[in-house]
């Protein structure tokens, strides 16, 4: 007999770290609400990946979520190609395509859960097809589309589609075809959930509400989804990069990371190394290749830097070749600037921590995100314009941008704007804040 007091929420993420990360944070946030039972449905390896890279929450919090391992056949896991004509991670396309294979087991899971609860709420990543759910026509269920990118990028995509222009400059042809297939899936969504807030993107949220699939549907802007403030992680062993940051003054270190889906060429790595050294500023540089489909077999890179570089910068700079807890790094008092690819997770984490960004977009939503931070919010600076994306950024430009953010009046103004925006974004999640109110309305609707 269905539980008349509870609503069960099933989260279905897309199997790439940035997507897993956002929806795991959202799952944990929902699990703190009474009357909700939260389920997280992905493949076994990606459930494990999401748990392994948990940030900002104690490990014990994972026990509040029911994880479901959806079966997936073995798929190719080729290495990334730093010399590809596309900066986009084309090596992950077999993984992306394989998400079609989870439809049947997902449908079975949803049917089973719907029989045990008064209401079933399905929240699926916008890149996951839910046609199996629609076909089942579960009477006590409703679905919501989770949009991981910024509202600014979603508006840009809608505009490009209206103009008949494609996304050829932002992604690979294979991924564009994948997106087009997803857009053709007829999903009767009850609304859209976005990891953003009105304090950052009010204009774009309002524009989006009048566009395409969003027209006439409620949009719930509930970000940032990453925890603010950070939860106590005393039961997690501290990463060595945080111990290294402990030894440096407040706001003195430039954090350099291009995320889990980007790989730079050897030539670019050499120019970046030279520019960081010439700037004279402290830095923590995560130099790793993009994730493969199987992150557990291929976690780091043996990428070589100019001979003697790491010894020459010892004490001032640190190079890390594996994954690091980025949220902890950005929240550390020693971090004063962030050189980033501008994936939306990185943007939201940097802004919520009040850290200015040196924006270096590479593909997908990143150019739109970079413009939002640098030109819209004034909390960052573009390392290079998107029109010069195929050029190697010279050491001189790297040095110039680092000095611009970390020194002088222009840098002081940028850092102050970042601090103010961080306070506003964190307030959005508190009582009376725009994101807290949006989530309250959404949960109340589920419990009706």
């Amino acid at each position: 007999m269905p539980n008349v007091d509870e609503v069960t929420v099933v989260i279905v993420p897309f199997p790439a770290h940035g997507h897993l990360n956002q929806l795991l944070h959202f799952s944990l946030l929902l699990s703190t609400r009474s009357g909700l039972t939260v389920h997280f449905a992905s493949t076994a390896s990606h459930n494990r990946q999401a748990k392994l890279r948990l940030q900002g929450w104690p490990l014990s919090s994972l026990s509040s979520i029911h994880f479901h391992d959806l079966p997936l056949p073995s798929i190719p896991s080729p290495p990334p190609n730093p010399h590809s004509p596309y900066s986009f991670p084309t090596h992950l396309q077999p993984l992306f395509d394989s998400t079609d294979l989870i439809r049947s087991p997902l449908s079975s899971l949803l049917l089973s859960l719907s029989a045990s609860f008064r209401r079933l709420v399905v929240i699926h990543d916008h890149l996951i097809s839910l046609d199996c759910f629609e076909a089942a026509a579960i009477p006590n269920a409703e679905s919501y589309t989770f949009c991981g990118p910024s509202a600014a990028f979603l508006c840009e995509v809608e505009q490009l589609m209206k103009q008949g222009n494609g996304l050829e400059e932002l992604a690979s042809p294979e991924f564009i075809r994948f997106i087009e297939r997803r857009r053709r899936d007829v999903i009767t969504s009850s609304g859209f959930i976005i990891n953003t807030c009105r304090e950052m993107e009010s204009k774009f949220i309002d524009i989006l509400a009048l566009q395409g699939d969003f027209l006439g549907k409620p949009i719930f802007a509930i970000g940032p989804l990453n925890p603010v403030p950070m939860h106590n992680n005393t039961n997690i062993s501290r990463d060595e990069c945080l111990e290294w940051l402990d030894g440096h003054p407040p706001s003195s270190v430039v954090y350099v990371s291009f995320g889990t889906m980007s790989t730079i060429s050897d030539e670019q790595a050499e120019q970046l190394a030279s520019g960081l050294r010439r700037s004279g500023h402290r830095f923590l540089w995560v130099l790793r290749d993009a994730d493969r489909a199987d992150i557990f077999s291929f976690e780091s890179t043996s990428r070589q830097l100019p001979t003697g570089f790491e010894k020459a910068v010892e004490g001032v700079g640190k190079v890390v070749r594996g994954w690091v807890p980025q949220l902890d790094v950005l929240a550390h008092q020693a971090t004063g600037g962030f050189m980033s690819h501008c994936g939306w997770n990185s943007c939201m984490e940097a802004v919520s921590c009040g850290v200015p960004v040196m924006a270096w977009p590479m593909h997908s939503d990143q150019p739109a995100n970079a413009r939002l931070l640098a030109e819209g919010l004034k909390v960052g600076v573009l390392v290079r314009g998107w029109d010069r994306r195929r050029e190697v950024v010279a050491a001189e430009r790297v040095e110039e941008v680092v000095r611009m953010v970390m020194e002088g009046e222009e840098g002081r103004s940028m850092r102050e704007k970042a601090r103010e925006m961080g306070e506003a974004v964190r307030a959005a999640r508190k009582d009376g804040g725009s994101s807290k109110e949006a989530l309250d309305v959404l949960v109340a609707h589920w419990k009706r």
Side-chain angles (χ1 to χ4, degrees):
M1 181 176 180
N3 188 327
V4 296
D5 296 321
E6 285 197 344
V7 174
T8 192
V9 181
V10 181
I11 306 286
V12 189
F14 189 67
H17 178 67
H19 299 250
L20 292 163
N21 185 41
Q22 291 190 63
L23 281 173
L24 181 58
H25 283 316
F26 189 32
S27 299
L28 289 165
L29 186 61
L30 289 177
S31 73
T32 65
R33 299 295 186 106
S34 63
L36 297 182
T37 302
V38 182
H39 300 255
F40 192 92
S42 188
T43 70
S45 63
H46 290 96
N47 280 338
R48 181 183 169 203
Q49 176 179 337
K51 296 175 189 178
L52 180 69
R53 292 178 172 179
L54 175 68
Q55 299 181 69
W57 297 82
L59 285 174
S60 58
S61 64
L62 292 173
S63 63
S64 65
I65 300 173
H66 302 273
F67 288 88
H68 298 269
D69 295 341
L70 303 176
L72 186 69
S74 178
I75 56 172
S77 184
N81 177 12
H83 305 293
S84 168
Y86 308 100
S87 296
F88 189 84
T90 54
H91 65 290
L92 291 177
Q93 193 61 50
L95 171 63
F96 300 159
D97 291 335
S98 73
T99 57
D100 288 342
L101 302 176
I102 69 170
R103 294 177 182 179
S104 179
L106 177 59
S107 181
S108 297
L109 172 65
L110 299 179
L111 283 167
S112 173
L113 290 172
S114 69
S116 303
F117 294 90
R118 178 173 61 87
R119 177 167 289 113
L120 172 67
V121 175
V122 184
I123 300 171
H124 66 99
D125 191 289
H126 70 293
L127 295 179
I128 288 287
S129 172
L130 264 198
D131 60 353
C132 62
F133 170 77
E134 295 296 323
I138 303 172
N140 63 331
E142 56 193 73
S143 68
Y144 292 80
T145 302
F146 178 83
C147 298
S150 63
F153 175 69
L154 294 171
C155 287
E156 181 176 294
V157 170
E158 291 292 333
Q159 190 62 32
L160 287 172
M161 294 299 181
K162 281 184 180 178
Q163 295 172 350
N165 296 327
L167 305 175
E168 292 80 9
E169 300 301 323
L170 301 174
S172 68
E174 295 83 3
F175 190 72
I176 292 171
R177 288 194 290 272
F178 176 82
I179 292 291
E180 289 172 346
R181 292 200 303 273
R182 288 292 178 264
R183 288 177 68 92
R184 287 195 297 268
D185 288 337
V186 180
I187 303 298
T188 310
S189 176
S190 298
F192 294 87
I193 301 169
I194 307 181
N195 180 21
T196 190
C197 61
R198 287 199 164 272
E199 286 71 10
M200 286 180 66
E201 294 198 280
S202 181
K203 177 181 74 172
F204 293 108
I205 293 169
D206 290 341
I207 294 173
L208 194 61
L210 302 175
Q211 305 296 314
D213 294 338
F214 298 88
L215 184 63
K217 297 287 182 70
I219 296 176
F220 301 92
I222 59 171
L225 290 177
N226 55 276
V228 288
M230 298 275 282
H231 296 272
N232 187 348
N233 274 333
T234 54
N235 60 339
I236 301 177
S237 58
R238 207 151 178 266
D239 193 277
E240 65 171 348
C241 70
L242 302 177
E243 302 285 350
W244 184 84
L245 286 170
D246 289 343
H248 297 282
S251 302
S252 65
V253 177
V254 176
Y255 171 53
V256 183
S257 177
F258 300 122
T260 58
M261 291 178 63
S262 298
T263 301
I264 61 174
S265 67
D266 291 339
E267 182 183 5
Q268 184 61 82
E270 290 180 7
Q271 290 297 311
L272 178 51
S274 178
L276 290 172
R277 183 178 180 183
R278 289 168 49 157
S279 76
H281 284 277
R282 298 172 174 87
F283 64 87
L284 172 65
W285 180 8
V286 181
L287 178 61
R288 65 187 300 277
D289 289 336
D291 282 349
R292 292 194 185 189
D294 179 5
I295 70 162
F296 303 105
S297 299
F298 311 97
E299 179 62 21
S300 62
T301 176
S302 58
R303 183 76 63 82
Q304 296 300 308
L305 290 171
T307 303
F309 172 77
E310 291 179 72
K311 185 171 182 58
V313 300
E314 191 172 351
V316 175
K318 180 177 179 63
V319 179
V320 180
R321 288 181 166 79
W323 182 85
V324 303
Q326 177 167 289
L327 192 54
D328 291 301
V329 170
L330 290 169
H332 197 286
Q333 65 172 0
T335 302
F338 181 19
M339 184 172 287
S340 171
H341 64 308
C342 288
W344 190 236
N345 273 342
S346 293
C347 293
M348 289 298 290
E349 291 169 0
V351 171
S352 65
C353 291
V355 177
V357 175
M358 295 159 242
W360 191 327
M362 297 185 180
H363 58 76
S364 307
D365 59 331
Q366 298 162 17
N369 300 340
R371 289 192 295 271
L372 173 67
L373 297 191
E375 300 169 5
L377 301 178
K378 309 294 185 185
V379 297
V381 60
L382 290 171
V383 176
R384 64 176 177 190
W386 184 240
D387 59 331
R388 304 181 66 180
R389 61 191 173 278
R390 302 203 188 281
E391 300 177 12
V392 172
V393 178
E396 292 80 6
R397 178 57 180 169
V398 173
E399 176 187 3
E400 178 186 15
V401 168
V402 170
R403 291 184 179 277
M404 185 186 305
V405 173
M406 302 297 285
E407 302 173 6
E409 183 60 26
E410 185 176 2
R412 187 202 64 76
S413 175
M414 195 181 303
R415 294 192 299 274
E416 180 61 20
K417 286 183 181 295
R419 184 191 64 78
E420 292 173 355
M421 182 56 65
E423 291 177 353
V425 167
R426 292 192 296 273
R429 282 272 303 274
K430 297 177 180 177
D431 288 341
S434 65
S435 295
K436 173 67 160 50
E437 289 186 350
L439 185 56
D440 287 345
V441 169
L442 183 58
V443 172
H445 178 70
W446 295 342
K447 292 182 176 182
R448 67 190 184 278

